[in-house]
Amino acid sequence: MAGGGFSNSGHGGTHFEAKITPIVIISCIMAATGGLMFGYDVGVSGGVTSMDPFLQKFFPTVYKRTKDPRLNSNYCKYDNQGLQLFTSSLYLAGLTATFFASYTTRKLGRRPTMLIAGCFFLVGVVLNAAAQDLAMLIIGRILLGCGVGFANQAVPLFLSEIAPTRIRGGLNILFQLNVTIGILFANLVNYGTAKISGGWGWRLSLGLAGFPALLLTFGALFVVETPNSLIERGHLEEGKKVLRKIRGTDNIEPEFLELVEASRVAKEVKHPFRNLLQRKNRPQLIISVALQIFQQFTGINAIMFYAPVLFATLGFGSSAALYSAVITGAVNVLSTVVSVYSVDKLGRRILLLEAGVQMLLSQIIIAIILGIKVTDHSEDLSHGWGIFVVVMICTYVSAFAWSWGPLGWLIPSETFPLETRSAGQSVTVCVNLLFTFVMAQAFLSMLCHFKYGIFLFFSGWIFIMSLFVFFLLPETKNVPIEEMTEKVWKQHWLWRRFMMDDDDVDVVKKNGHANGFDPSAQL
């Protein structure tokens, strides 16, 4: 598919012989449980922050405000920096942890990094469920954030490297599918625990995060390490053995030799983070950073974090708000399944572009309805209009779930060369968590100040990111992960000029042209 409509990005490369073996499927499913933990953390915070006993214990000021409509506008009931810090602290910790995770992923391997993530998750869950004060609650969230940093660093890399090329996109999206399942699981738990008398339901909500944490920890004990990681760390024979096992064939020599060559090139790079800034790595870096920023400015995490709070703000009762959050969570899961089946058939670009149109229209419609029906101190959102708003939010969530959600992680994990892959994934996770923190910390305040205009703010960003995809994002489906440079970046109308080596640059400067490049372009 044409990158930006102007060049042929190439549909494929060398197709190595590979069967879809049970060990690949099982390993990918177990590794993707890291997404389950991440998703549960995303979904559970919004639910517990809408529970009265939780607010009474940790945020009494917010509790009083929600019960007295004279104190503030409908849009500002939950505007509290401490309440937002409860949600956002996880992502700030994840941002810091990802730098350490980059080292362990490269030096110890993908599998041990997932195990470390599981251990952080388990300790954080215990502290959250047993929290007696705000400090204990925040420390628990910080440890969960460390787990997120390690898991989000290792799992997408693991899935991209162990999967056969032809189904790499679908298997990688298992991570995002588990994120959506985790969010739905959290919404269902919150809906049930909110009805528990005695005021301890929120503890059960936070404590049940231990279930996906255990799955990730035990999964990390049983999965195989990726051949890429083994070869990168000098275990050539073991890497060949694992490659033969996961591919289900003895004809693995061509792929093995390519991995060895990629590893040799990678070892020549002594400073991978510094290497990321080299000219030849700028396209991958720009694409990866932009995708993470754009993913957060779709507004999805702000909505998923605070779905019950958002619905309560719009006039839904407590139970109705939690129930509506369950509905959006279910739509999120089902739509991600659509991406699993379509990403390797339709490609990455078409899903992102279609979703951009769908998200843009739904957000504009929501803004218009709220602008007319919901004011600061009164709301005229009837039952029918309330249902329509939920439908529009589900329309928006479904588009995100089969596009920007999974592809925001898939595309960066498959585009970096081996020598910068771990560092590139670290930057990807870091930028994602940084802007996730920003949105989590700012959304309730933005809702208070922008009111219904918050949806217009996000729709403006969706328009910009859709233009970015159309012009600058090349197609990567069905391209072997170690051939991205030759088959994708060197074929793109813009990015190919960054792929030239020094000899090519000299030729261009001398002859004024090379391979159709504009000699006046900045090299």
mmCIF file of all heavy atoms in Angstrom, residues 410-453:
data_model
loop_
_atom_site.group_PDB
_atom_site.id
_atom_site.type_symbol
_atom_site.label_atom_id
_atom_site.label_comp_id
_atom_site.label_asym_id
_atom_site.label_seq_id
_atom_site.Cartn_x
_atom_site.Cartn_y
_atom_site.Cartn_z
ATOM 1 N N LEU A 410 1.643 -2.025 18.137
ATOM 2 C CA LEU A 410 2.151 -2.963 17.130
ATOM 3 C C LEU A 410 3.191 -2.318 16.224
ATOM 4 O O LEU A 410 4.285 -2.866 16.022
ATOM 5 C CB LEU A 410 0.987 -3.506 16.294
ATOM 6 C CG LEU A 410 1.371 -4.284 15.026
ATOM 7 C CD1 LEU A 410 2.194 -5.518 15.378
ATOM 8 C CD2 LEU A 410 0.133 -4.656 14.231
ATOM 9 N N ILE A 411 2.861 -1.176 15.656
ATOM 10 C CA ILE A 411 3.731 -0.579 14.636
ATOM 11 C C ILE A 411 5.135 -0.252 15.175
ATOM 12 O O ILE A 411 6.132 -0.611 14.548
ATOM 13 C CB ILE A 411 3.058 0.654 14.012
ATOM 14 C CG1 ILE A 411 1.818 0.209 13.222
ATOM 15 C CG2 ILE A 411 4.026 1.405 13.093
ATOM 16 C CD1 ILE A 411 0.947 1.356 12.736
ATOM 17 N N PRO A 412 5.267 0.397 16.346
ATOM 18 C CA PRO A 412 6.630 0.637 16.852
ATOM 19 C C PRO A 412 7.400 -0.651 17.140
ATOM 20 O O PRO A 412 8.617 -0.710 16.926
ATOM 21 C CB PRO A 412 6.389 1.434 18.145
ATOM 22 C CG PRO A 412 5.064 2.078 17.956
ATOM 23 C CD PRO A 412 4.251 1.074 17.183
ATOM 24 N N SER A 413 6.717 -1.677 17.623
ATOM 25 C CA SER A 413 7.421 -2.908 18.000
ATOM 26 C C SER A 413 7.959 -3.664 16.800
ATOM 27 O O SER A 413 8.859 -4.486 16.940
ATOM 28 C CB SER A 413 6.485 -3.820 18.805
ATOM 29 O OG SER A 413 5.506 -4.421 17.970
ATOM 30 N N GLU A 414 7.445 -3.382 15.599
ATOM 31 C CA GLU A 414 7.871 -4.149 14.424
ATOM 32 C C GLU A 414 8.726 -3.336 13.458
ATOM 33 O O GLU A 414 9.151 -3.868 12.436
ATOM 34 C CB GLU A 414 6.645 -4.687 13.676
ATOM 35 C CG GLU A 414 5.760 -3.626 13.053
ATOM 36 C CD GLU A 414 4.514 -4.199 12.391
ATOM 37 O OE1 GLU A 414 4.299 -5.430 12.497
ATOM 38 O OE2 GLU A 414 3.753 -3.424 11.778
ATOM 39 N N THR A 415 8.982 -2.075 13.758
ATOM 40 C CA THR A 415 9.673 -1.230 12.786
ATOM 41 C C THR A 415 11.142 -0.961 13.112
ATOM 42 O O THR A 415 11.933 -0.708 12.201
ATOM 43 C CB THR A 415 8.957 0.124 12.634
ATOM 44 O OG1 THR A 415 8.807 0.729 13.916
ATOM 45 C CG2 THR A 415 7.593 -0.042 11.984
ATOM 46 N N PHE A 416 11.527 -1.002 14.377
ATOM 47 C CA PHE A 416 12.920 -0.718 14.728
ATOM 48 C C PHE A 416 13.820 -1.895 14.366
ATOM 49 O O PHE A 416 13.444 -3.064 14.565
ATOM 50 C CB PHE A 416 13.059 -0.446 16.226
ATOM 51 C CG PHE A 416 12.579 0.914 16.657
ATOM 52 C CD1 PHE A 416 11.350 1.062 17.278
ATOM 53 C CD2 PHE A 416 13.358 2.040 16.436
ATOM 54 C CE1 PHE A 416 10.901 2.312 17.679
ATOM 55 C CE2 PHE A 416 12.921 3.294 16.833
ATOM 56 C CZ PHE A 416 11.688 3.437 17.452
ATOM 57 N N PRO A 417 15.041 -1.629 13.860
ATOM 58 C CA PRO A 417 16.018 -2.715 13.656
ATOM 59 C C PRO A 417 16.477 -3.262 15.004
ATOM 60 O O PRO A 417 16.334 -2.591 16.041
ATOM 61 C CB PRO A 417 17.162 -2.025 12.908
ATOM 62 C CG PRO A 417 17.046 -0.581 13.290
ATOM 63 C CD PRO A 417 15.576 -0.321 13.463
ATOM 64 N N LEU A 418 17.044 -4.457 15.009
ATOM 65 C CA LEU A 418 17.398 -5.132 16.255
ATOM 66 C C LEU A 418 18.340 -4.305 17.119
ATOM 67 O O LEU A 418 18.204 -4.277 18.345
ATOM 68 C CB LEU A 418 18.038 -6.503 15.951
ATOM 69 C CG LEU A 418 18.406 -7.354 17.175
ATOM 70 C CD1 LEU A 418 17.168 -7.677 18.003
ATOM 71 C CD2 LEU A 418 19.108 -8.646 16.739
ATOM 72 N N GLU A 419 19.278 -3.583 16.482
ATOM 73 C CA GLU A 419 20.276 -2.862 17.268
ATOM 74 C C GLU A 419 19.677 -1.720 18.093
ATOM 75 O O GLU A 419 20.274 -1.285 19.065
ATOM 76 C CB GLU A 419 21.396 -2.322 16.366
ATOM 77 C CG GLU A 419 20.959 -1.308 15.328
ATOM 78 C CD GLU A 419 20.650 -1.960 13.987
ATOM 79 O OE1 GLU A 419 20.342 -3.168 13.971
ATOM 80 O OE2 GLU A 419 20.719 -1.251 12.966
ATOM 81 N N THR A 420 18.503 -1.244 17.705
ATOM 82 C CA THR A 420 17.860 -0.174 18.474
ATOM 83 C C THR A 420 16.468 -0.571 18.953
ATOM 84 O O THR A 420 15.733 0.277 19.461
ATOM 85 C CB THR A 420 17.742 1.110 17.623
ATOM 86 O OG1 THR A 420 17.002 0.814 16.432
ATOM 87 C CG2 THR A 420 19.106 1.656 17.259
ATOM 88 N N ARG A 421 16.123 -1.849 18.818
ATOM 89 C CA ARG A 421 14.741 -2.247 19.103
ATOM 90 C C ARG A 421 14.390 -2.078 20.579
ATOM 91 O O ARG A 421 13.325 -1.557 20.923
ATOM 92 C CB ARG A 421 14.514 -3.700 18.662
ATOM 93 C CG ARG A 421 13.036 -4.115 18.709
ATOM 94 C CD ARG A 421 12.839 -5.470 18.054
ATOM 95 N NE ARG A 421 13.293 -5.427 16.678
ATOM 96 C CZ ARG A 421 13.776 -6.480 16.019
ATOM 97 N NH1 ARG A 421 13.884 -7.641 16.635
ATOM 98 N NH2 ARG A 421 14.147 -6.365 14.768
ATOM 99 N N SER A 422 15.278 -2.518 21.462
ATOM 100 C CA SER A 422 14.987 -2.403 22.887
ATOM 101 C C SER A 422 14.921 -0.940 23.309
ATOM 102 O O SER A 422 14.007 -0.519 24.026
ATOM 103 C CB SER A 422 16.048 -3.144 23.700
ATOM 104 O OG SER A 422 15.780 -3.056 25.072
ATOM 105 N N ALA A 423 15.890 -0.143 22.833
ATOM 106 C CA ALA A 423 15.892 1.285 23.161
ATOM 107 C C ALA A 423 14.681 1.976 22.544
ATOM 108 O O ALA A 423 14.052 2.834 23.175
ATOM 109 C CB ALA A 423 17.181 1.934 22.664
ATOM 110 N N GLY A 424 14.353 1.596 21.307
ATOM 111 C CA GLY A 424 13.194 2.187 20.645
ATOM 112 C C GLY A 424 11.899 1.867 21.362
ATOM 113 O O GLY A 424 11.027 2.733 21.523
ATOM 114 N N GLN A 425 11.764 0.619 21.826
ATOM 115 C CA GLN A 425 10.570 0.242 22.575
ATOM 116 C C GLN A 425 10.513 0.995 23.899
ATOM 117 O O GLN A 425 9.438 1.380 24.366
ATOM 118 C CB GLN A 425 10.556 -1.270 22.824
ATOM 119 C CG GLN A 425 9.321 -1.798 23.547
ATOM 120 C CD GLN A 425 8.061 -1.695 22.718
ATOM 121 O OE1 GLN A 425 8.114 -1.400 21.528
ATOM 122 N NE2 GLN A 425 6.917 -1.922 23.332
ATOM 123 N N SER A 426 11.681 1.212 24.500
ATOM 124 C CA SER A 426 11.728 1.956 25.751
ATOM 125 C C SER A 426 11.236 3.381 25.555
ATOM 126 O O SER A 426 10.442 3.896 26.356
ATOM 127 C CB SER A 426 13.160 1.970 26.298
ATOM 128 O OG SER A 426 13.222 2.656 27.522
ATOM 129 N N VAL A 427 11.687 4.036 24.487
ATOM 130 C CA VAL A 427 11.230 5.392 24.191
ATOM 131 C C VAL A 427 9.732 5.389 23.898
ATOM 132 O O VAL A 427 8.992 6.276 24.346
ATOM 133 C CB VAL A 427 12.017 5.983 23.001
ATOM 134 C CG1 VAL A 427 11.396 7.294 22.534
ATOM 135 C CG2 VAL A 427 13.473 6.196 23.381
ATOM 136 N N THR A 428 9.278 4.376 23.165
ATOM 137 C CA THR A 428 7.852 4.254 22.847
ATOM 138 C C THR A 428 7.017 4.186 24.118
ATOM 139 O O THR A 428 6.029 4.916 24.283
ATOM 140 C CB THR A 428 7.598 2.997 21.991
ATOM 141 O OG1 THR A 428 8.282 3.115 20.743
ATOM 142 C CG2 THR A 428 6.114 2.806 21.725
ATOM 143 N N VAL A 429 7.394 3.285 25.021
ATOM 144 C CA VAL A 429 6.654 3.119 26.267
ATOM 145 C C VAL A 429 6.744 4.386 27.107
ATOM 146 O O VAL A 429 5.750 4.832 27.704
ATOM 147 C CB VAL A 429 7.199 1.906 27.061
ATOM 148 C CG1 VAL A 429 6.534 1.815 28.431
ATOM 149 C CG2 VAL A 429 6.960 0.615 26.275
ATOM 150 N N CYS A 430 7.937 4.983 27.145
ATOM 151 C CA CYS A 430 8.150 6.191 27.949
ATOM 152 C C CYS A 430 7.240 7.318 27.483
ATOM 153 O O CYS A 430 6.563 7.968 28.298
ATOM 154 C CB CYS A 430 9.612 6.609 27.861
ATOM 155 S SG CYS A 430 9.983 8.136 28.751
ATOM 156 N N VAL A 431 7.208 7.573 26.179
ATOM 157 C CA VAL A 431 6.366 8.644 25.646
ATOM 158 C C VAL A 431 4.895 8.339 25.887
ATOM 159 O O VAL A 431 4.115 9.221 26.262
ATOM 160 C CB VAL A 431 6.637 8.841 24.141
ATOM 161 C CG1 VAL A 431 5.649 9.838 23.535
ATOM 162 C CG2 VAL A 431 8.068 9.328 23.915
ATOM 163 N N ASN A 432 4.517 7.074 25.697
ATOM 164 C CA ASN A 432 3.121 6.694 25.922
ATOM 165 C C ASN A 432 2.709 6.948 27.365
ATOM 166 O O ASN A 432 1.661 7.547 27.639
ATOM 167 C CB ASN A 432 2.915 5.222 25.563
ATOM 168 C CG ASN A 432 1.463 4.799 25.675
ATOM 169 O OD1 ASN A 432 0.963 4.515 26.767
ATOM 170 N ND2 ASN A 432 0.775 4.726 24.547
ATOM 171 N N LEU A 433 3.550 6.517 28.300
ATOM 172 C CA LEU A 433 3.218 6.686 29.711
ATOM 173 C C LEU A 433 3.273 8.154 30.137
ATOM 174 O O LEU A 433 2.495 8.586 30.994
ATOM 175 C CB LEU A 433 4.161 5.846 30.576
ATOM 176 C CG LEU A 433 3.986 4.329 30.438
ATOM 177 C CD1 LEU A 433 5.037 3.594 31.261
ATOM 178 C CD2 LEU A 433 2.595 3.899 30.864
ATOM 179 N N LEU A 434 4.187 8.925 29.539
ATOM 180 C CA LEU A 434 4.264 10.346 29.858
ATOM 181 C C LEU A 434 2.946 11.044 29.507
ATOM 182 O O LEU A 434 2.377 11.779 30.322
ATOM 183 C CB LEU A 434 5.427 11.003 29.109
ATOM 184 C CG LEU A 434 5.524 12.528 29.223
ATOM 185 C CD1 LEU A 434 5.724 12.959 30.674
ATOM 186 C CD2 LEU A 434 6.649 13.066 28.336
ATOM 187 N N PHE A 435 2.458 10.789 28.302
ATOM 188 C CA PHE A 435 1.236 11.461 27.875
ATOM 189 C C PHE A 435 -0.005 10.815 28.489
ATOM 190 O O PHE A 435 -1.031 11.483 28.640
ATOM 191 C CB PHE A 435 1.163 11.507 26.348
ATOM 192 C CG PHE A 435 2.043 12.579 25.772
ATOM 193 C CD1 PHE A 435 3.377 12.317 25.469
ATOM 194 C CD2 PHE A 435 1.555 13.852 25.569
ATOM 195 C CE1 PHE A 435 4.198 13.312 24.966
ATOM 196 C CE2 PHE A 435 2.366 14.855 25.058
ATOM 197 C CZ PHE A 435 3.694 14.592 24.767
ATOM 198 N N THR A 436 0.089 9.534 28.860
ATOM 199 C CA THR A 436 -0.996 8.927 29.634
ATOM 200 C C THR A 436 -1.093 9.607 30.995
ATOM 201 O O THR A 436 -2.191 9.904 31.487
ATOM 202 C CB THR A 436 -0.759 7.424 29.831
ATOM 203 O OG1 THR A 436 -0.641 6.788 28.562
ATOM 204 C CG2 THR A 436 -1.921 6.773 30.580
ATOM 205 N N PHE A 437 0.068 9.853 31.625
ATOM 206 C CA PHE A 437 0.100 10.576 32.898
ATOM 207 C C PHE A 437 -0.494 11.971 32.747
ATOM 208 O O PHE A 437 -1.307 12.409 33.575
ATOM 209 C CB PHE A 437 1.549 10.667 33.397
ATOM 210 C CG PHE A 437 1.749 11.673 34.496
ATOM 211 C CD1 PHE A 437 1.345 11.395 35.785
ATOM 212 C CD2 PHE A 437 2.326 12.904 34.222
ATOM 213 C CE1 PHE A 437 1.519 12.335 36.806
ATOM 214 C CE2 PHE A 437 2.506 13.847 35.226
ATOM 215 C CZ PHE A 437 2.095 13.554 36.523
ATOM 216 N N VAL A 438 -0.113 12.659 31.692
ATOM 217 C CA VAL A 438 -0.623 14.020 31.468
ATOM 218 C C VAL A 438 -2.141 14.013 31.353
ATOM 219 O O VAL A 438 -2.840 14.820 31.977
ATOM 220 C CB VAL A 438 0.011 14.631 30.198
ATOM 221 C CG1 VAL A 438 -0.698 15.939 29.814
ATOM 222 C CG2 VAL A 438 1.497 14.888 30.415
ATOM 223 N N MET A 439 -2.679 13.073 30.566
ATOM 224 C CA MET A 439 -4.132 13.028 30.373
ATOM 225 C C MET A 439 -4.840 12.614 31.656
ATOM 226 O O MET A 439 -5.901 13.147 31.998
ATOM 227 C CB MET A 439 -4.482 12.064 29.244
ATOM 228 C CG MET A 439 -4.033 12.528 27.859
ATOM 229 S SD MET A 439 -4.525 14.224 27.452
ATOM 230 C CE MET A 439 -6.296 14.132 27.665
ATOM 231 N N ALA A 440 -4.274 11.635 32.376
ATOM 232 C CA ALA A 440 -4.901 11.180 33.623
ATOM 233 C C ALA A 440 -4.912 12.284 34.675
ATOM 234 O O ALA A 440 -5.871 12.431 35.433
ATOM 235 C CB ALA A 440 -4.169 9.950 34.159
ATOM 236 N N GLN A 441 -3.829 13.057 34.717
ATOM 237 C CA GLN A 441 -3.720 14.117 35.725
ATOM 238 C C GLN A 441 -4.546 15.342 35.354
ATOM 239 O O GLN A 441 -4.981 16.088 36.231
ATOM 240 C CB GLN A 441 -2.250 14.514 35.894
ATOM 241 C CG GLN A 441 -1.981 15.489 37.027
ATOM 242 C CD GLN A 441 -2.281 14.896 38.402
ATOM 243 O OE1 GLN A 441 -2.119 13.697 38.616
ATOM 244 N NE2 GLN A 441 -2.733 15.725 39.326
ATOM 245 N N ALA A 442 -4.779 15.533 34.070
ATOM 246 C CA ALA A 442 -5.405 16.783 33.620
ATOM 247 C C ALA A 442 -6.872 16.647 33.230
ATOM 248 O O ALA A 442 -7.583 17.659 33.183
ATOM 249 C CB ALA A 442 -4.625 17.346 32.426
ATOM 250 N N PHE A 443 -7.357 15.428 32.961
ATOM 251 C CA PHE A 443 -8.673 15.301 32.318
ATOM 252 C C PHE A 443 -9.807 15.916 33.132
ATOM 253 O O PHE A 443 -10.639 16.654 32.599
ATOM 254 C CB PHE A 443 -8.992 13.833 32.017
ATOM 255 C CG PHE A 443 -10.368 13.641 31.429
ATOM 256 C CD1 PHE A 443 -10.639 14.068 30.143
ATOM 257 C CD2 PHE A 443 -11.382 13.064 32.172
ATOM 258 C CE1 PHE A 443 -11.904 13.907 29.590
ATOM 259 C CE2 PHE A 443 -12.656 12.899 31.630
ATOM 260 C CZ PHE A 443 -12.912 13.321 30.334
ATOM 261 N N LEU A 444 -9.882 15.614 34.426
ATOM 262 C CA LEU A 444 -10.998 16.127 35.220
ATOM 263 C C LEU A 444 -10.960 17.650 35.320
ATOM 264 O O LEU A 444 -12.011 18.311 35.343
ATOM 265 C CB LEU A 444 -10.989 15.491 36.611
ATOM 266 C CG LEU A 444 -11.235 13.971 36.640
ATOM 267 C CD1 LEU A 444 -11.193 13.444 38.067
ATOM 268 C CD2 LEU A 444 -12.565 13.625 35.986
ATOM 269 N N SER A 445 -9.751 18.205 35.356
ATOM 270 C CA SER A 445 -9.630 19.666 35.349
ATOM 271 C C SER A 445 -10.009 20.228 33.980
ATOM 272 O O SER A 445 -10.666 21.281 33.882
ATOM 273 C CB SER A 445 -8.196 20.081 35.696
ATOM 274 O OG SER A 445 -7.850 19.657 37.001
ATOM 275 N N MET A 446 -9.607 19.536 32.917
ATOM 276 C CA MET A 446 -9.984 19.968 31.565
ATOM 277 C C MET A 446 -11.494 19.889 31.383
ATOM 278 O O MET A 446 -12.109 20.770 30.764
ATOM 279 C CB MET A 446 -9.276 19.098 30.529
ATOM 280 C CG MET A 446 -7.774 19.298 30.452
ATOM 281 S SD MET A 446 -6.959 18.070 29.411
ATOM 282 C CE MET A 446 -7.604 18.510 27.801
ATOM 283 N N LEU A 447 -12.101 18.830 31.918
ATOM 284 C CA LEU A 447 -13.554 18.689 31.831
ATOM 285 C C LEU A 447 -14.246 19.842 32.536
ATOM 286 O O LEU A 447 -15.262 20.368 32.060
ATOM 287 C CB LEU A 447 -13.980 17.353 32.452
ATOM 288 C CG LEU A 447 -15.472 17.007 32.415
ATOM 289 C CD1 LEU A 447 -15.955 16.858 30.983
ATOM 290 C CD2 LEU A 447 -15.742 15.726 33.214
ATOM 291 N N CYS A 448 -13.681 20.265 33.667
ATOM 292 C CA CYS A 448 -14.245 21.379 34.436
ATOM 293 C C CYS A 448 -14.168 22.692 33.651
ATOM 294 O O CYS A 448 -15.118 23.474 33.641
ATOM 295 C CB CYS A 448 -13.517 21.512 35.769
ATOM 296 S SG CYS A 448 -14.073 22.890 36.816
ATOM 297 N N HIS A 449 -13.051 22.925 32.960
ATOM 298 C CA HIS A 449 -12.851 24.202 32.271
ATOM 299 C C HIS A 449 -13.390 24.192 30.837
ATOM 300 O O HIS A 449 -13.962 25.187 30.376
ATOM 301 C CB HIS A 449 -11.360 24.565 32.263
ATOM 302 C CG HIS A 449 -10.815 24.936 33.600
ATOM 303 N ND1 HIS A 449 -10.306 23.989 34.480
ATOM 304 C CD2 HIS A 449 -10.710 26.125 34.237
ATOM 305 C CE1 HIS A 449 -9.905 24.592 35.589
ATOM 306 N NE2 HIS A 449 -10.138 25.886 35.464
ATOM 307 N N PHE A 450 -13.207 23.079 30.114
ATOM 308 C CA PHE A 450 -13.651 23.010 28.729
ATOM 309 C C PHE A 450 -15.127 22.627 28.618
ATOM 310 O O PHE A 450 -15.770 22.933 27.634
ATOM 311 C CB PHE A 450 -12.831 21.976 27.943
ATOM 312 C CG PHE A 450 -11.428 22.391 27.635
ATOM 313 C CD1 PHE A 450 -10.880 23.560 28.135
ATOM 314 C CD2 PHE A 450 -10.628 21.593 26.828
ATOM 315 C CE1 PHE A 450 -9.574 23.935 27.847
ATOM 316 C CE2 PHE A 450 -9.326 21.958 26.531
ATOM 317 C CZ PHE A 450 -8.801 23.129 27.045
ATOM 318 N N LYS A 451 -15.626 21.912 29.641
ATOM 319 C CA LYS A 451 -16.993 21.367 29.638
ATOM 320 C C LYS A 451 -17.181 20.495 28.390
ATOM 321 O O LYS A 451 -16.328 19.670 28.105
ATOM 322 C CB LYS A 451 -18.011 22.488 29.749
ATOM 323 C CG LYS A 451 -17.832 23.333 31.023
ATOM 324 C CD LYS A 451 -18.803 24.453 31.103
ATOM 325 C CE LYS A 451 -18.657 25.210 32.434
ATOM 326 N NZ LYS A 451 -17.319 25.773 32.649
ATOM 327 N N TYR A 452 -18.274 20.674 27.654
ATOM 328 C CA TYR A 452 -18.518 19.825 26.483
ATOM 329 C C TYR A 452 -17.449 20.032 25.408
ATOM 330 O O TYR A 452 -17.231 19.177 24.541
ATOM 331 C CB TYR A 452 -19.900 20.111 25.896
ATOM 332 C CG TYR A 452 -20.065 21.503 25.356
ATOM 333 C CD1 TYR A 452 -19.728 21.808 24.037
ATOM 334 C CD2 TYR A 452 -20.558 22.527 26.155
ATOM 335 C CE1 TYR A 452 -19.868 23.083 23.532
ATOM 336 C CE2 TYR A 452 -20.705 23.819 25.663
ATOM 337 C CZ TYR A 452 -20.349 24.091 24.346
ATOM 338 O OH TYR A 452 -20.492 25.354 23.857
ATOM 339 N N GLY A 453 -16.717 21.160 25.473
ATOM 340 C CA GLY A 453 -15.679 21.441 24.491
ATOM 341 C C GLY A 453 -14.506 20.484 24.543
ATOM 342 O O GLY A 453 -13.692 20.451 23.618
#
